[in-house]
Amino acid sequence: MPTAKVSIQIDRPLEEVFEYAIAIDKLHEWVPVILEAWATSGNPPETGATYTVKAQLGGRTMEIPSVVVGFEPNQLYAYRSYGFLTYTDTMTFQETNNGTLVTELLDFSSSGLFERLLDPIKLLISKNSHTRNQKLLKSILESRK
């Protein structure tokens, strides 16, 4: 299964970074393709809770269902997204001397030969997208100082 890893140092306290990064009502602020997000069952960020994001990708608006697959307060948040791109994003949060290190591990699942052939392209696009998103997250949080 193809994977990508992206990390960023954010000069803000761990609890603040974690709370903001996992709040589904804030996703549209730091993930530009997301127009809105809402819970569909359970209470995100609890494991097993589901939510949907409305995203604009390639000029198309689509609703993408997701499920929380891992949650440890101030340490880990993982979700599995289905649809246009099916992947698991595991975000870890680590306190550092200067703030918080946020690391995302993206794991893709491909069920067919055609999808597997596209994996390198999906991986590159997603890695670049998540890197830009992390930079925006850093900018937003560090401007709160």
Side-chain angles (χ1 to χ4, degrees):
M1 184 179 308
T3 61
K5 184 177 180 179
V6 294
S7 297
I8 198 161
Q9 170 69 35
I10 300 176
D11 297 334
R12 299 300 299 151
L14 172 67
E15 295 80 9
E16 179 184 341
V17 173
F18 185 82
E19 180 182 326
Y20 184 85
I22 69 164
I24 64 170
D25 63 332
K26 302 285 188 208
L27 288 176
H28 70 281
E29 294 177 6
W30 66 277
V31 182
V33 299
I34 294 178
L35 304 173
E36 62 180 306
W38 60 91
T40 53
S41 75
N43 187 21
E46 295 172 357
T47 300
T50 61
Y51 61 97
T52 297
V53 297
K54 182 187 280 188
Q56 188 161 20
L57 300 165
R60 293 181 51 208
T61 301
M62 59 188 72
E63 292 185 1
I64 303 167
S66 299
V67 62
V68 180
V69 295
F71 174 70
E72 296 174 29
N74 297 320
Q75 294 177 33
L76 178 133
Y77 178 73
Y79 65 91
R80 181 125 178 102
S81 192
Y82 298 90
F84 176 70
L85 288 178
T86 297
Y87 67 97
T88 301
D89 184 351
T90 301
M91 300 177 71
T92 58
F93 301 80
Q94 182 179 18
E95 189 170 27
T96 65
N97 290 337
N98 297 329
T100 306
L101 178 66
V102 178
T103 302
E104 288 184 79
L105 181 63
L106 306 166
D107 283 330
F108 288 85
S109 293
S110 298
S111 58
L113 176 62
F114 182 71
E115 286 183 17
R116 286 194 302 273
L117 290 173
L118 292 176
D119 280 346
I121 296 167
K122 294 186 300 188
L123 195 61
L124 179 62
I125 292 169
S126 293
K127 185 173 183 176
N128 289 339
S129 172
H130 282 261
T131 298
R132 284 190 306 272
N133 296 346
Q134 283 188 351
K135 288 178 181 177
L136 184 53
L137 176 65
K138 176 182 176 75
S139 173
I140 290 168
L141 289 171
E142 289 184 358
S143 70
R144 294 179 168 188
K145 290 183 181 181

